[in-house]
Amino acid sequence: MNTAPDKALLMERHAYQISHLIAGFTVPLMRNLYHQFDGDMVQMMILGEISLHNVSQFFRKGGADVPEKLLDDLQQRGQLMQSCNALSISEATGIPRETVRRKVEQLLEKGWLYRDEHKRLMVRQGVSTGFARRNAETTQDILALAAKLQALLQEVEAEVAPPPAQVLKMGNFL
């Protein structure tokens, strides 16, 4: 018999506190991104999706085991990263293709994207350095949030679990 409390029930007990902790992370993150992209959250989503698409192949094929600096090498970049187009980004995000096309043009003008030799989209080398400080801060925020959630759920598990003496008594009846 499994005596571990159901995680869903544990989370339900502190649903408001969990929501508060998550909102305390997501709202400031979204606020910062809103300002970083001059209020254009659709542009932010499109750049993020293109970036994710570009580097996914690298990490899927063992990129975690090789220096990421290879992604900065223009000769290696085309082989290590996967380019994409407006249609694939539209399908991935659910944003209409024409909107994606317009936002891509804006990102090309900003110099954050370029088109490879096949006219497919790639995030420009060095763009990630502009986000490095914010990514480091976000990583710390994620770790802090995870620690708070983990502590909360461990407290709840301790509340729900019977004391050791009761476990022994219950064991005698099995």
Side-chain angles (χ1 to χ4, degrees):
M1 178 159 103
N2 185 5
T3 59
D6 184 329
K7 290 284 185 191
L9 291 174
L10 295 175
M11 292 175 64
E12 186 178 308
R13 179 177 284 175
H14 290 288
Y16 285 112
Q17 191 170 355
I18 290 169
S19 292
H20 175 73
L21 289 170
I22 291 172
F25 166 76
T26 56
V27 171
L29 175 65
M30 297 302 285
R31 187 182 318 117
N32 287 332
L33 288 168
Y34 177 85
H35 292 293
Q36 195 164 9
F37 283 83
D38 299 321
D40 194 338
M41 297 301 278
V42 174
Q43 192 180 84
M44 181 270 310
M45 288 173 50
I46 290 169
L47 179 65
E49 193 69 45
I50 292 169
S51 180
L52 181 63
H53 191 87
N54 286 172
V55 298
S56 289
Q57 174 177 298
F58 177 74
F59 289 110
R60 250 193 333 267
K61 292 186 175 182
D65 299 329
V66 297
E68 292 180 20
K69 283 291 182 192
L70 290 176
L71 294 174
D72 292 333
D73 181 338
L74 291 177
Q75 304 268 324
Q76 299 265 343
R77 208 160 211 264
Q79 296 166 356
L80 297 172
M81 294 173 62
Q82 182 176 343
S83 58
C84 57
N85 60 30
L87 178 60
S88 63
I89 298 305
S90 174
E91 289 173 351
T93 60
I95 298 169
R97 190 172 71 174
E98 184 56 29
T99 301
V100 171
R101 190 198 63 71
R102 278 193 326 272
K103 300 299 180 179
V104 162
E105 289 303 318
Q106 294 168 0
L107 291 164
L108 287 165
E109 288 173 19
K110 284 183 174 183
W112 290 2
L113 296 178
Y114 71 96
R115 294 190 190 275
D116 67 9
E117 65 276 4
H118 303 292
K119 304 286 185 205
R120 294 175 56 87
L121 301 169
M122 298 284 283
V123 173
R124 188 168 295 285
Q125 175 191 6
V127 167
S128 63
T129 57
F131 295 96
R133 184 183 61 78
R134 183 66 206 140
N135 286 344
E137 292 170 3
T138 300
T139 300
Q140 292 304 312
D141 293 345
I142 289 169
L143 293 172
L145 172 62
K148 289 175 186 174
L149 290 170
Q150 192 170 32
L152 177 65
L153 291 176
Q154 285 174 348
E155 288 174 18
V156 171
E157 285 179 0
E159 290 172 18
V160 173
Q166 286 181 342
V167 170
L168 289 176
K169 287 180 189 175
M170 287 171 40
N172 292 336
F173 292 105
L174 294 177

